[in-house]
Amino acid sequence: MATSLEISKNCQLILALDIEDRTQAIELVKQSGGELEWVKIGLQMFTHYGPDYVREIADLGKRIFLDLKLHDIPNTVAKAIASVSNLPIDMLTIHTCGGREMMEWAVKAQQDNKPDLQLLGVTVLTSMDDDALAGIGVNRSTAEQVIALTALANEAGMSGLVCSPHEAASVKAAHGDQFQLVTPGIRPTATNAGDQKRIMTPQLAADQGADYIVVGRPIYQASNPAAVVAAIRSDLG
Ligand code: C5P
């Protein structure tokens, strides 16, 4: 069994580039320094600036996590994956609640079009609680729903998940290394939690089994983003 130090060494940092202005976003990526390898681009920037923005960040030497959270009928999701396969991306999100067939089609589209692309399944959004689930007819707790959707993702052949660092250990315990785990909700010690409620430090998240941690505001709101990147990488071992 791997020690926590070995796990920490393998855990990588992803910058969540949730910045509205394109020029500022590019500048921030440059300021974050060469130690930063991964950048997450979300729906807001992708719908505003499109594929060229992805290429522009990739041209800065960064690997791209495109966080589109696809959720549609299987055929449409598969075709969307085929479309984005032309882009220089390394990770892409889909919603596990699209169901087993949607995930199977997604996995097939990924394997046919971009075998190196890591598909990640989003389970229950952290903006949802038990009441919100009940409102859409799901009468499980959020914890139970995460476990059920994770099992479904496993059956569909998925190999990556986005989850809370608080869920990482139980996913690893249930599924071993079947899933690459990407965890947001990370705060280096002595930084502001903001609206994140269930936070963890980089090292603790890595020790829980996170393969990648996503960090946004603690880096892009810092006066010296490169210093925060270096501190997080040092914390990860
Ligand atoms: O600024 P902060 O570090 O909180 O940013 C976290 C990033 O991770 C944001 O892009 C946010 O949308 C994303 N995220 C999250 N919780 C999830 C899924 C994604 O915070 N469950």
Side-chain angles (χ1 to χ4, degrees):
M1 192 174 151
T3 66
S4 64
L5 185 60
E6 282 163 351
I7 293 169
S8 295
K9 271 184 180 162
N10 291 330
C11 184
Q12 297 190 59
L13 170 65
I14 303 173
L15 167 64
L17 196 57
D18 299 327
I19 295 179
E20 289 177 23
D21 181 82
R22 181 179 187 147
T23 310
Q24 278 178 14
I26 301 291
E27 194 50 37
L28 189 275
V29 171
K30 289 178 180 165
Q31 284 173 4
S32 298
E35 277 197 272
L36 178 75
E37 195 181 349
W38 285 88
V39 172
K40 179 171 90 75
I41 296 174
L43 262 181
Q44 183 184 1
M45 294 300 268
F46 189 73
T47 50
H48 193 160
Y49 294 117
D52 277 349
Y53 178 69
V54 174
R55 293 190 190 97
E56 193 173 359
I57 304 285
D59 284 347
L60 295 173
K62 306 304 178 189
R63 303 184 74 180
I64 307 292
F65 168 7
L66 189 57
D67 191 13
L68 297 186
K69 297 189 177 70
L70 300 175
H71 183 183
D72 210 311
I73 60 170
N75 185 52
T76 301
V77 167
K79 289 198 165 149
I81 290 170
S83 289
V84 295
S85 290
N86 295 320
L87 293 176
I89 60 171
D90 292 281
M91 285 181 184
L92 177 71
T93 41
I94 66 172
H95 269 291
T96 58
C97 58
R100 179 173 173 159
E101 196 181 352
M102 190 204 85
M103 287 189 276
E104 286 173 345
W105 282 52
V107 170
K108 181 164 189 322
Q110 170 261 321
Q111 287 172 352
D112 288 348
N113 292 281
K114 204 169 175 74
D116 292 339
L117 177 67
Q118 175 67 64
L119 272 189
L120 301 168
V122 176
T123 54
V124 180
L125 292 171
T126 45
S127 54
M128 298 194 78
D129 57 14
D130 293 358
D131 286 343
L133 282 181
I136 57 167
V138 176
N139 293 310
R140 294 187 185 118
S141 69
T142 49
E144 289 168 340
Q145 181 70 346
V146 167
I147 289 167
L149 289 171
T150 300
L152 196 64
N154 186 41
E155 287 169 24
M158 293 282 293
S159 60
L161 289 174
V162 180
C163 67
S164 157
H166 295 270
E167 293 154 3
S170 59
V171 173
K172 287 280 177 187
H175 299 285
D177 287 330
Q178 161 70 19
F179 292 111
Q180 290 279 295
L181 299 184
V182 178
T183 63
I186 304 294
R187 287 295 175 267
T189 38
T191 52
N192 192 335
D195 60 354
Q196 295 281 16
K197 295 193 171 55
R198 301 173 65 227
I199 55 174
M200 240 187 228
T201 64
Q203 162 102 63
L204 271 177
D207 288 347
Q208 293 298 305
D211 298 289
Y212 299 84
I213 55 168
V214 178
V215 183
R217 286 163 287 183
I219 296 174
Y220 67 71
Q221 291 181 344
S223 55
N224 186 346
V228 182
V229 167
I232 292 172
R233 285 180 50 108
S234 158
D235 194 28
L236 289 173

